[in-house]
DNA sequence: TTTTCACTTTAGAATAATTATAAACTAGAA
DNA sequence: TTCTAGTTTATAATTATTCTAAAGTGAAAA
């Protein structure tokens, strides 16, 4: 994803391409593979990488803005911190609790044969499979 | 589950059957169906139900002791609070985000046909399926 | 029974993640 | 350039949870 695309991505979401947002967006979206992170880990990586430091509140604001805009998804992981994911398509995860690392599983790599029907007037929004790993 | 069984359950886990633990254990385990709760919700329900009030720290201590003893499991739900589950067998969940309600799905009611192999020297510990509901 | 003491409870302080506040700053329309 | 709504930021506040250390208690042993 090029710089111009980052600008488009932000503008099309109604987000002004500020210095901070562009820097965070470049860091998050200009990469080949999915990136899973917490606000804390993102903050550390950004501090290490860049010259100018971005306030923690701005990182929270920006991550939430990106999530609301559909550029990030939230992954549920046991523990206190919230995990985010640059992969916003329907997919699943391996989770290695030793390293606290998430690994993507393509939606097509898991086939569910039998599934119960949703209760009382409810519908199924989506199905998430979480595979816990051990050594 | 009878009172005597509650005592056995506690003793066999190396937990002294104190007044507080017995009261919490009776509330949690003397019921037909699975009970999903947060420490906050449990605290409210116990306060409503019982005469003597139990300190919040004791509820935290007790819930963790029960979890460590294998009498409770933890369910991962999007959000800030930790959810616990009196169903400690391998099973899955529906989640209704409108009501923040969890509903059990028996392990046999979901059959997974295709699953990717675990990465590099890791093994699969368990597979959790989470079905999000909508109206 | 009484004594004893490790285990437990408790109120309150501490911590950690996240969100709110409100003042200073800035992108970009006019 | 000016102007202003949107944004950033330092800091305070909030929320869930854990820690601390003093007081209380179950139950083994005397
Ligand atoms: Mn979580
Ligand atoms: Mn959670
Ligand atoms: Zn992912
Ligand atoms: Zn359950």
């Amino acid at each position: 994803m090029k710089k111009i695309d980052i600008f488009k991505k932000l503008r099309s979401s109604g987000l002004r391409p500020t210095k901070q947002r562009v820097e965070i967006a470049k860091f998050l979206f200009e990469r080949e593979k999915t990136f899973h992170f917490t606000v804390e880990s993102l903050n550390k990586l950004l501090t290490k990488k860049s010259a100018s430091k971005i306030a923690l509140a701005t990182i929270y604001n920006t991550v939430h803005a990106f999530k609301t805009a559909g550029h990030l998804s939230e992954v549920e992981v046991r523990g206190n911190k919230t995990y985010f994911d640059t992969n916003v398509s329907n997919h699943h995860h391996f989770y290695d609790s030793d390293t606290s690392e998430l690994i993507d599983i393509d939606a097509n790599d898991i086939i569910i044969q039998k599934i119960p029907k949703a209760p009382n007037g409810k519908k199924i929004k989506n199905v998430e499979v979480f595979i816990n790993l051990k050594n």
Side-chain angles (χ1 to χ4, degrees), chain A residues 26-61:
Chain A
K26 286 178 70 175
F27 185 80
L28 291 177
F29 305 124
E30 286 184 345
R31 49 177 79 218
E32 296 302 313
K33 287 187 291 184
T34 296
F35 182 50
H36 299 106
F37 63 95
T38 64
V39 169
E40 186 198 27
S41 72
L42 177 59
N43 186 36
K44 274 186 189 148
L45 291 168
L46 284 171
T47 302
K48 205 180 300 176
K49 196 170 193 292
S50 107
S52 55
K53 78 158 120 337
I54 301 176
L56 186 59
T58 301
I59 298 179
Y60 273 101
N61 289 341

Side-chain angles (χ1 to χ4, degrees), chain A residues 49-93:
Chain A
K49 196 170 193 292
S50 107
S52 55
K53 78 158 120 337
I54 301 176
L56 186 59
T58 301
I59 298 179
Y60 273 101
N61 289 341
T62 303
V63 165
H64 280 133
F66 289 176
K67 188 194 167 193
T68 300
H71 304 317
L72 290 174
S73 63
E74 191 182 324
V75 186
E76 201 38 59
V77 177
R78 226 159 296 248
N80 25 316
K81 293 175 203 160
T82 304
Y83 279 72
F84 294 92
D85 191 337
T86 57
N87 184 346
V88 293
S89 71
N90 188 345
H91 68 290
H92 308 290
H93 292 100

